[in-house]
Amino acid sequence: MTTPPDVDVERALVVTAHPDDVDFGTAGTVSTWTGAGIAVTYCVCTAGDSGAFEGVPRGEVARLRRDEQRAAATAVGVSDVRFLDHQDGRVVADLGLRRDIARVIRQVRPQLVVSHSPEIAWEHLVVSHPDHRAVGEAALAAVYPDARNEHAHPELLDEGLAPWTVPALWLSGSPEQRINRAVDITDHFEAKLAALAAHRSQTAHLDDLRDTMRQHLERNAQRHGLAAGRLAEVFHAVDTS
């Protein structure tokens, strides 16, 4: 099982449903990439404003969570964070979402896209939130065929956005039998924790976050052949060239 992408990557795009999704699943990997000079863009499909927040007026939740995501991105070297503002808790993989993600793909022109798996991971159901699966399905369709097909979403051509072919797609939260890529993030664990800590509305009450994350990442590493004591984030890597 190899660690680096199978294609030369100058730009990567991470497409998630909610603020904090990238940080729980992928922030360590992102930190390895930005440290290697890869430009990473985040595309967050909702503002995560449907959660319960004590003491925060409902009208302030979206702004709060956007600010938290921007701070979390800074912790792992990402400055380009974009929000699509679809409705939290009601995301569907419709043509509108596919078009919006394809638009960002054509703008960023990444060699690698990372998103949620559209499948249910029954062994770890919490990663298979319906919004995650909908975004994963829409991102897959945006990568293939929409972003590369000049006849898909012709309004994007009207915006001056030429087709772009993404050669590789990595899916987070996939069923265990699909996983074929493990990224050693041991040296980037503190950056991942800093990104998670930036989501205070989601993590400030989790006193055991460090230990829980370490145990989870150690299990990933052990299952996928890394040395004892190493930490890994894992993905289903798909050749989309």
Side-chain angles (χ1 to χ4, degrees):
M1 186 175 296
T2 58
T3 295
D6 292 329
V7 296
D8 291 332
V9 177
E10 297 178 357
R11 298 174 301 280
L13 172 66
V14 184
V15 182
T16 64
H18 314 106
D20 82 20
D21 288 341
V22 61
D23 301 300
F24 276 103
T26 315
T29 299
V30 168
S31 183
T32 71
W33 291 342
T34 59
I38 295 172
V40 180
T41 297
Y42 288 173
C43 173
V44 187
C45 295
T46 80
D49 53 307
S50 289
F53 302 90
E54 293 185 8
V56 180
R58 178 58 49 188
E60 291 294 308
V61 171
R63 179 196 58 77
L64 171 66
R65 297 210 65 192
R66 290 191 194 100
D67 288 347
E68 289 178 341
Q69 183 61 87
R70 293 187 184 101
T74 298
V76 292
V78 175
S79 59
D80 187 0
V81 182
R82 310 180 187 196
F83 296 91
L84 300 184
D85 291 331
H86 287 252
Q87 189 168 1
D88 185 14
R90 298 188 177 186
V91 180
V92 292
D94 60 10
L95 288 172
L97 182 58
R98 286 169 54 176
R99 178 204 60 222
D100 291 349
I101 297 172
R103 175 184 288 112
V104 178
I105 290 172
R106 292 191 186 184
Q107 291 169 339
V108 174
R109 301 171 76 82
Q111 291 81 26
L112 174 64
V113 169
V114 183
S115 194
H116 304 284
S117 172
E119 299 183 83
I120 296 175
W122 292 107
E123 66 276 10
H124 191 43
L125 190 60
V126 68
V127 302
S128 299
H129 186 291
D131 284 357
H132 294 185
R133 289 185 282 117
V135 167
E137 181 181 344
L140 173 59
V143 167
Y144 178 79
D146 293 357
R148 68 187 66 187
N149 181 357
E150 65 180 345
H151 302 294
H153 314 299
E155 61 268 36
L156 299 183
L157 288 179
D158 295 339
E159 296 171 19
L161 297 173
W164 177 257
T165 296
V166 178
L169 172 66
W170 286 17
L171 301 172
S172 179
S174 296
E176 181 65 28
Q177 66 268 25
R178 301 278 193 222
I179 293 170
N180 58 4
R181 194 68 87 247
V183 178
D184 188 329
I185 68 156
T186 310
D187 296 337
H188 297 264
F189 182 56
E190 295 301 326
K192 179 181 178 74
L193 288 177
L196 286 167
H199 296 282
R200 290 189 54 80
S201 68
Q202 307 300 301
T203 63
H205 64 288
L206 300 176
D207 296 333
D208 60 347
L209 180 62
R210 173 183 287 271
D211 290 342
T212 299
M213 291 306 306
R214 178 175 287 279
Q215 291 169 13
H216 169 66
L217 297 169
E218 283 181 343
R219 285 194 297 269
N220 283 345
Q222 291 168 5
R223 286 174 181 153
H224 298 284
L226 277 70
R230 306 305 289 180
L231 309 176
E233 292 173 341
V234 295
F235 305 89
H236 177 199
V238 182
D239 181 349
T240 55
S241 58

